[in-house]
Amino acid sequence: MAFRILFTPLPNSHPFYERECPLDQPLKIGRAVAKFKSSQDNLIFDCKVLSRNHALLWEDGGKFYLKDMKSSNGTFVNRQRLSRSGEESGPVEIKAGDELQFGVDVIEVKKVTHSCIIGTFTFISLDHPSATATIAKLETVSSRDLVELSQLLRVMREREQSLATKMANIQDTVTTMESQTDHGFQMLLTEDQLLSRVEVLENQLQLYCESYSGDELRHQLSELLDQKMQYELKSKESLRKVLQEKLEYASRLSEIQRNYDQSEEECEKLRIMFEEAQRGAEHVAGVLKTKENEMAVLQTELSGAQTSLAALKEQVGYVVAG
């Protein structure tokens, strides 16, 4: 018997389009390399957690079998691992609707997560297909695709709202920082005024030296020196505060820049995911349209068969009556 398979992704899987492949020979499941590219009619994926020869799928006597081909991250059927890492497993029979997982999620040092491939198989017999069963399968597959696409769009909307909140927080922080910068500038102006005052006092000291006697001069000089010291202490304290605030502003600006860069990266990821979702929606719409046409043809054939059957029953009735 000839079969085709549909491999449909689940929501927690590494993103990929539904695959439809002939099963006239064993199918290899693995990671895309130079000679073997990912396409809609094979089970090769652009996924870093898969091995090049990860698993093998085949049909024998109307039953379907899967085995792990010494993969590093394992093969799972209904969350049960088939073999340990680097060991080939024995054949395991699988059925339509089983949850199949190839590899495991891997988190790198930079906290980048590489997801595994998770999905379910649907097997379609190409010999003497039943019209009613085929229509039911087509409706089920199309509905599942639309539900998964809806879930993906919902997650994207939630991430977009979260990103908008982060951007609003960054804007508030920038506004606060601008206000604090203005305050620091005012403190710098105050420092200039203090230095000008010191210069005026020095000039006054020079005038006193020319106008007063020794005792009076020493007394005035002592007062002026005290005032100068006080102004110098105030100037140094103001400079220290300004320098400290400058360092704090630089640190906060660096943090804001990092948040902004992260926000831009998230925006780019969301844009890519949205474009992929749009392409997925177009693909699902095309598949749905094709399946609707096929269903219409099958219904027409079924109506013709029912008409022929009624005519045949009528002829048989005439023969019996005669």
Side-chain angles (χ1 to χ4, degrees):
M1 296 178 65
F3 289 91
R4 294 184 68 84
I5 64 167
L6 295 176
F7 187 45
T8 305
L10 293 180
N12 54 338
S13 171
H14 175 81
F16 67 92
Y17 292 128
E18 182 182 67
R19 304 297 175 87
E20 183 174 350
C21 314
L23 198 58
D24 51 354
Q25 59 183 0
L27 279 177
K28 182 181 79 169
I29 302 165
R31 186 180 73 247
V33 292
K35 294 183 179 180
F36 301 99
K37 300 295 184 181
S38 174
S39 69
Q40 295 296 111
D41 59 353
N42 64 26
L43 296 180
I44 304 299
F45 302 91
D46 292 316
C47 180
K48 292 186 177 181
V49 304
L50 298 187
S51 302
R52 285 181 297 175
N53 296 308
H54 195 98
L56 194 67
L57 173 69
W58 72 95
E59 179 268 335
D60 185 11
K63 295 183 179 181
F64 306 92
Y65 298 93
L66 178 71
K67 72 174 180 179
D68 186 277
M69 302 297 290
K70 301 182 180 180
S71 68
S72 300
N73 294 322
T75 301
F76 301 78
V77 177
N78 295 324
R79 302 186 181 181
Q80 297 295 321
R81 187 163 184 165
L82 302 187
S83 62
R84 291 184 293 183
S85 178
E87 293 184 3
E88 182 176 324
S89 72
V92 175
E93 183 180 356
I94 60 174
K95 298 180 181 179
D98 285 347
E99 180 181 310
L100 303 180
Q101 175 180 331
F102 302 101
V104 293
D105 293 347
V106 176
I107 302 177
E108 293 184 347
V109 178
K110 297 181 180 180
K111 296 184 179 180
V112 177
T113 302
H114 299 287
S115 302
C116 58
I117 299 296
I118 306 176
T120 59
F121 280 118
T122 301
F123 304 102
I124 302 175
S125 174
L126 302 181
D127 298 330
H128 306 292
S130 169
T132 304
T134 303
I135 292 170
K137 288 181 180 179
L138 292 176
E139 292 177 347
T140 301
V141 171
S142 299
S143 299
R144 184 166 53 219
D145 287 342
L146 293 175
V147 169
E148 292 175 1
L149 182 59
S150 176
Q151 292 175 346
L152 178 60
L153 292 175
R154 177 178 57 78
V155 171
M156 289 176 61
R157 284 194 296 269
E158 291 176 354
R159 291 186 179 181
E160 185 176 2
Q161 292 174 356
S162 175
L163 184 59
T165 302
K166 290 182 180 179
M167 293 296 291
N169 293 336
I170 290 175
Q171 185 63 38
D172 293 340
T173 304
V174 170
T175 303
T176 303
M177 186 174 177
E178 289 177 351
S179 175
Q180 292 177 350
T181 303
D182 293 338
H183 177 67
F185 181 71
Q186 293 297 328
M187 293 187 66
L188 288 175
L189 293 178
T190 303
E191 177 192 352
D192 291 338
Q193 294 174 356
L194 290 173
L195 293 176
S196 299
R197 177 62 177 169
V198 170
E199 185 177 356
V200 170
L201 290 174
E202 288 177 346
N203 294 332
Q204 290 179 355
L205 179 61
Q206 185 176 1
L207 292 174
Y208 289 154
C209 290
E210 298 174 355
S211 303
Y212 292 94
S213 63
D215 292 338
E216 292 176 344
L217 184 61
R218 281 192 293 272
H219 179 70
Q220 293 289 335
L221 180 61
S222 176
E223 291 181 352
L224 291 173
L225 289 175
D226 290 340
Q227 292 179 7
K228 180 180 179 181
M229 183 176 297
Q230 291 177 1
Y231 280 120
E232 286 180 348
L233 291 175
K234 290 181 179 179
S235 298
K236 290 179 180 179
E237 181 65 17
S238 297
L239 285 173
R240 186 188 64 81
K241 290 181 179 180
V242 168
L243 180 60
Q244 183 176 1
E245 289 184 358
K246 181 179 179 181
L247 293 175
E248 292 176 357
Y249 296 157
S251 176
R252 296 187 67 178
L253 181 60
S254 177
E255 182 179 357
I256 289 173
Q257 185 64 41
R258 287 195 300 270
N259 292 335
Y260 181 78
D261 293 340
Q262 291 177 356
S263 299
E264 284 189 334
E265 291 177 359
E266 291 185 9
C267 281
E268 182 64 19
K269 290 180 181 179
L270 285 173
R271 184 186 63 79
I272 294 174
M273 291 179 65
F274 182 74
E275 290 176 354
E276 291 179 352
Q278 282 185 325
R279 290 195 295 270
E282 293 173 357
H283 173 71
V284 169
V287 171
L288 183 59
K289 183 65 176 178
T290 302
K291 301 307 182 183
E292 287 177 349
N293 293 336
E294 293 178 0
M295 184 172 66
V297 172
L298 289 172
Q299 287 177 340
T300 302
E301 293 178 355
L302 182 60
S303 298
Q306 289 175 345
T307 302
S308 299
L309 180 60
L312 182 60
K313 288 182 177 180
E314 186 177 353
Q315 292 177 4
V316 170
Y318 289 150
V319 171
V320 172

